[in-house]
């Protein structure tokens, strides 16, 4: 009897050359990658994001073929493409001599359900295998916090440091402290030269033409001959090396800074490589720790820089993924404040007189990238203060960023940024007035609005929004110990001052699109 073949699905965010599926060159399985409308259309994506995923998938397929694996690649415009994972797999199983179907744990709930339903229906054996793409299993975080109302990232992070022996010395945190955040909150002061962002100039004109011809709706800008994002493991490793040399030495100190001088400052821009699995989180963490040990006795990279970076990957990244799997599908519908205002049009155009918003949105549309504090304290802060419907906020974040995949986008947006989960992720809403933005950036000095003004002509909207938000949600928030001081300040204000702030905010809120 002739052995039937095994069909193995590789999703667009599973481009891990070192997975055990590929541990020896060539084997009998048939590997399939597919460009499908179900993935291009579940939200409107930035054109760079679609192009970068497709270019990376094509490159990956080519690498596997060169290593002797049998690869089926279904492009978006293939006439036989049935435009969903399930339907294409069903067709292949029917038409090829397939005896078994295997796939790796998908990272998105939507795809997970689609594939588990498919597996039940296929006429052949199926198996869903662990991907090994993370440092935790899907349910580890849920188990770690079992029975707790709040999921404190810090305790999970310390557990991960100990478990993996990262930045640990004799059972204690290297340098004597777990957390160097206080040293990591500087605005950019010009003391270190900002590295020029490393770009790759990948030519994706064919892909962009195909996307357009197929009628896929996208937004944002692209130079099709010069896609700046890494689309292979080789390019990803080059970006990692560049970051270790140029960004990491100042990563921690400026990680919350924002500046018109640079769109990525000292950030790594490795999120696309990590989320497509072209890089493994542990190799990135270890590389950062290793490089900080070099240079003989006195390391040139301080512990507060490396710890700040390690915390993002070993801590935050694994933590948000765990929350996603612990709380889906309900998490996607959370709306603690019952916010329902429409997302202003300027999120799609960048056209607003608020300089911080124009800069953060403008670079997002142009580059499919903004760094963390722009996402959290500018665009996210504004949406939260203005009471925007979290579904619309989510759709924007899920579409616009090169690294936006739901498991990481949703918890950051709904949870961390919009407090829509009522405080599972954040101990208090991340809100700030112009005072915060002015202290961490140079945006306010070139703004139409006046950062110091709370009411009246050209008063910065963030100022009155801040107080109106606290007043509006007093019942939900006043018992939060981290907000007590703000409510006391509000209560001490003269009634006319409070009324003035509320009136100013309501005036602006009535005409958000005109800001
Ligand atoms: P760096 O600052 O260089 O950090 C290094 C790495 O740490 C990142 O590449 C990323 O893998 C990880 N990391 C850092 N912060 C976080 C975090 N909060 N959660 C998870 N991982 C983190 N990140 C995404 O990967 N995809 C998203 O869709 C996404 N959406 C976000 C939405 C909002 C509202 C907010 C506030 C944050 C979001 N983040 C998201 C987290 C973070 O902003 C990005 O990971 C980061 O900006 C990517 O740029 P970088 O690679 O230069 O990061
Ligand atoms: C983001 C994306 C896009 C736009 N298109 C595809 C695609 O056509 N085929 C594919 O396999 N993956 C794509 N991706 C990434 C997927 O959305 C991601 O692989 C799944 O959501 C699983 O997490
Ligand atoms: Fe943003 Fe207000 Fe500063 Fe203008 S003044 S940049 S709107 S915080």
């Amino acid at each position: 009897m002739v052995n039937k073949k095994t069909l193995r699905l590789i999703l667009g965010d599973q481009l891990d050359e070192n997975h055990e599926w590929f541990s020896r060159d060539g084997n009998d399985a048939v590997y399939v990658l597919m460009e499908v409308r179900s993935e291009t259309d579940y939200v409107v994506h930035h054109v760079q994001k679609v192009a970068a995923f497709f270019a990376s998938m094509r490159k990956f397929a080519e690498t596997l073929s060169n290593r002797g694996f049998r690869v089926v690649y279904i492009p978006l415009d293939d006439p036989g493409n049935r435009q969903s994972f399930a339907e294409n797999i069903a067709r292949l199983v029917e038409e090829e001599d397939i005896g078994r179907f295997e796939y790796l744990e998908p990272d998105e709930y939507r795809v997970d359900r689609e594939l588990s339903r498919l597996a039940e229906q296929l006429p052949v054996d199926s198996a869903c295998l662990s991907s090994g793409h993370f440092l935790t299993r899907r349910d580890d975080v849920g188990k770690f916090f079992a029975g707790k109302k709040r999921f404190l990232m810090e305790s999970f992070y310390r557990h991960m440091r100990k478990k993996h022996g990262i930045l640990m010395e004799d059972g204690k945190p290297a340098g004597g402290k777990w957390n160097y955040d206080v040293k990591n909150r500087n605005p950019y002061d010009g003391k270190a030269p900002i590295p020029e962002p490393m770009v790759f100039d990948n030519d994706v004109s064919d892909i962009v033409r195909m996307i357009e011809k197929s009628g896929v709706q996208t937004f944002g800008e692209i130079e099709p001959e010069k896609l700046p994002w890494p689309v292979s493991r080789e390019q990803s490793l080059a970006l990692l090396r560049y970051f270790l040399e140029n960004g990491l030495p100042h990563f921690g100190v400026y990680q919350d800074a924002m500046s018109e001088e640079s769109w990525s400052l000292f950030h790594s821009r490795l999120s696309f490589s990590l989320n497509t699995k072209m890089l493994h989180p542990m190799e990135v963490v270890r590389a950062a720790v290793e490089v900080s040990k070099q240079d003989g006795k006195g390391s040139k990279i301080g512990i507060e820089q490396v710890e700040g970076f390690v915390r993002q990957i070993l801590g935050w990244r694994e933590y948000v993924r765990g929350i996603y799997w612990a709380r889906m599908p309900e998490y996607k519908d959370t709306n603690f404040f019952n916010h329902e205002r429409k997302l202003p049009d300027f999120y799609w155009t960048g056209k607003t007189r608020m300089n911080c918003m124009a800069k953060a949105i403008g670079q997002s549309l142009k580059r499919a990238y903004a760094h963390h504090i722009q996402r959290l304290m500018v665009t996210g802060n504004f949406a939260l203060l203005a009471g925007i419907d979290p579904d619309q906020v989510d759709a924007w974040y899920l579409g616009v960023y090169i690294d936006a995949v739901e498991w990481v986008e949703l918890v950051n947006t709904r949870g961390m940024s919009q407090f829509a989960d009522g405080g599972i992720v954040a101990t208090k809403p991340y809100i700030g007035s112009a005072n915060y933005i002015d202290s961490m950036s140079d945006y306010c000095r070139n703004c139409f609005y006046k950062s110091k003004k709370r009411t009246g002509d050209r008063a910065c909207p963030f100022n009155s929004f801040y107080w109106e938000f606290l007043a509006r949600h007093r019942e939900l928030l006043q018992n939060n110990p981290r907000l007590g001081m703000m409510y006391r300040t509000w209560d001490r204000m003269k009634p006319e001052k409070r009324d003035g702030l509320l009136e100013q905010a309501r005036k602006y809120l009535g005409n958000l699109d005109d800001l």
Side-chain angles (χ1 to χ4, degrees):
M1 202 180 92
V2 187
N3 273 347
K4 290 195 170 226
K5 290 172 282 191
T6 295
L7 182 66
R8 288 177 165 173
L9 172 66
I10 302 168
L11 295 169
D13 63 350
Q14 296 182 333
L15 310 181
D16 170 17
E17 283 179 28
N18 296 320
H19 188 269
E20 62 180 42
W21 266 1
F22 318 114
S23 57
R24 59 182 180 82
D25 287 355
N27 61 37
D28 292 341
V30 179
Y31 293 88
V32 62
L33 294 98
M34 52 185 87
E35 299 168 0
V36 282
R37 290 301 291 260
S38 58
E39 295 309 296
T40 58
D41 296 3
Y42 68 84
V43 75
V44 184
H45 302 279
H46 196 295
V47 61
Q48 289 189 39
K49 180 181 169 192
V50 183
F53 267 93
F54 286 3
S56 308
M57 287 165 63
R58 289 177 181 201
K59 194 87 197 156
F60 190 73
E62 191 184 306
T63 305
L64 290 187
S65 294
N66 291 342
R67 280 175 54 184
F69 293 101
R70 294 174 60 185
V71 183
V72 174
Y73 193 92
I74 309 179
L76 195 74
D77 57 358
D78 182 326
N81 189 339
R82 293 192 184 167
Q83 304 297 351
S84 81
F85 295 128
E87 288 179 58
N88 280 330
I89 298 289
R91 175 177 67 90
L92 286 169
V93 167
E94 205 177 283
E95 290 174 6
E96 308 289 323
D97 202 17
I98 301 297
R100 180 177 167 82
F101 168 59
E102 292 182 353
Y103 64 105
L104 303 175
E105 275 181 341
D107 291 327
E108 291 192 337
Y109 188 85
R110 174 179 50 80
V111 179
D112 188 70
R113 289 303 107 118
E114 179 183 351
L115 294 179
S116 59
R117 266 196 306 273
L118 168 74
E120 280 168 22
Q121 287 160 7
L122 283 177
V124 296
D125 280 351
S126 303
C128 173
L129 311 167
S130 164
S131 68
H133 290 156
F134 290 87
L135 308 170
T136 41
R137 284 186 302 260
R138 273 183 184 175
D139 59 355
D140 280 354
V141 169
K143 282 187 184 152
F144 185 80
F145 291 109
K148 303 252 165 43
K149 184 173 174 285
R150 291 227 148 77
F151 288 25
L152 256 191
M153 201 300 279
E154 187 66 30
S155 49
F156 168 74
Y157 167 61
R158 291 181 188 184
H159 157 78
M160 290 293 280
R161 289 263 299 273
K162 286 187 240 168
K163 183 173 171 201
H164 293 279
I166 300 292
L167 293 176
M168 298 298 294
E169 283 161 6
D170 304 326
K172 299 216 169 65
K177 288 202 311 183
W178 290 104
N179 188 325
Y180 294 86
D181 262 5
V182 267
K183 289 199 175 176
N184 287 350
R185 298 228 170 104
N186 289 11
Y188 181 61
D189 51 12
K191 284 193 183 147
I194 303 173
E196 196 53 41
M198 185 186 211
V199 293
F200 291 98
D201 292 354
N202 288 303
D203 187 346
V204 290
S205 335
D206 287 356
I207 292 177
V208 173
R209 259 195 304 277
M210 177 194 71
I211 296 171
E212 282 168 2
K213 225 172 128 201
S214 308
V216 173
Q217 206 193 330
T218 59
F219 69 104
E221 297 170 33
I222 191 165
E223 280 184 77
E225 302 81 24
K226 290 184 175 186
L227 182 79
W229 298 100
V231 298
S232 65
R233 178 162 165 80
E234 212 183 357
Q235 291 185 345
S236 299
L237 285 169
L239 186 58
L240 171 60
R241 282 193 296 273
Y242 185 80
F243 166 71
L244 295 177
E245 198 169 316
N246 301 287
L248 187 63
H250 308 286
F251 179 86
V253 69
Y254 297 126
Q255 67 179 330
D256 284 359
M258 298 178 278
S259 173
E260 291 201 32
E261 283 181 48
S262 165
W263 54 277
S264 57
L265 287 159
F266 298 90
H267 292 274
S268 69
R269 291 174 52 241
L270 287 169
S271 48
F272 179 70
S273 300
L274 281 162
N275 294 354
T276 48
K277 322 300 176 357
M278 293 189 288
L279 294 179
H280 193 276
M282 192 47 95
E283 77 178 314
V284 176
V285 165
R286 286 204 194 286
V289 173
E290 266 322 297
V291 87
S292 72
K293 286 187 193 151
Q294 287 163 13
D295 244 18
K297 293 170 229 141
S299 152
K300 67 173 175 176
I301 304 181
I303 179 77
E304 55 294 355
Q305 316 307 328
V306 186
E307 191 282 318
F309 183 69
V310 165
R311 164 182 297 266
Q312 307 309 319
I313 298 180
L314 194 65
W316 281 109
R317 190 168 181 274
E318 297 289 324
Y319 165 85
V320 299
R321 175 189 182 244
I323 291 185
Y324 180 79
W325 285 106
R327 294 296 166 126
M328 277 300 277
E330 306 81 35
Y331 206 87
K332 208 172 160 54
D333 296 322
T334 51
N335 188 355
F336 181 67
F337 295 118
N338 284 320
H339 281 165
E340 46 191 24
R341 207 169 256 118
K342 177 182 157 291
L343 189 75
D345 289 343
F346 54 70
Y347 274 80
W348 304 102
T349 62
K351 291 194 177 121
T352 162
R353 289 174 296 186
M354 294 179 284
N355 192 36
C356 54
M357 291 287 281
K359 289 290 166 340
I361 296 170
Q363 76 168 66
S364 303
L365 297 171
K366 183 170 167 145
R367 307 185 182 279
Y369 179 88
H371 52 80
H372 186 69
I373 219 71
Q374 294 177 305
R375 298 186 200 195
L376 187 65
M377 294 311 290
V378 179
T379 43
N381 181 19
F382 183 90
L384 175 58
L385 293 177
I388 310 299
D389 170 6
D391 283 346
Q392 296 187 36
V393 182
D394 258 334
W396 187 76
Y397 280 100
L398 187 56
V400 75
Y401 292 120
I402 195 74
D403 52 38
V405 194
E406 195 189 69
W407 65 266
V408 52
E409 175 279 329
L410 189 70
V411 180
N412 271 294
T413 304
R414 289 253 166 182
M416 193 188 300
S417 154
Q418 301 301 295
F419 205 76
D421 64 5
I424 296 171
V425 175
T427 49
K428 74 170 182 64
Y430 277 96
I431 49 172
S433 63
N435 195 22
Y436 176 85
I437 295 174
D438 201 16
S439 68
M440 293 312 297
S441 78
D442 51 13
Y443 294 144
C444 297
R445 57 178 93 133
N446 295 326
C447 188
F448 168 85
Y449 295 102
K450 305 287 167 214
S451 63
K452 300 275 183 283
K453 272 187 93 173
R454 294 167 160 194
T455 53
D457 195 30
R458 297 199 175 193
C460 168
F462 281 89
N463 292 334
S464 52
F465 280 11
Y466 181 84
W467 291 110
E468 195 273 344
F469 172 87
L470 285 173
R472 185 164 21 110
H473 294 305
R474 182 160 197 150
E475 263 190 37
L476 290 170
L477 298 175
Q478 66 183 350
N479 294 327
N480 183 316
R482 298 192 61 201
L483 292 173
M485 202 175 82
M486 299 325 294
Y487 280 107
R488 284 193 292 281
T489 307
W490 175 248
D491 289 340
R492 275 198 305 270
M493 281 182 205
K494 293 211 170 84
E496 331 54 284
K497 193 168 173 187
R498 285 201 297 257
D499 289 347
L501 282 164
L502 294 179
E503 196 188 321
Q504 181 76 46
R506 285 171 193 154
K507 194 175 112 202
Y508 281 154
L509 285 169
N511 295 294
L512 278 185
D513 283 326
D514 294 340
L515 290 176

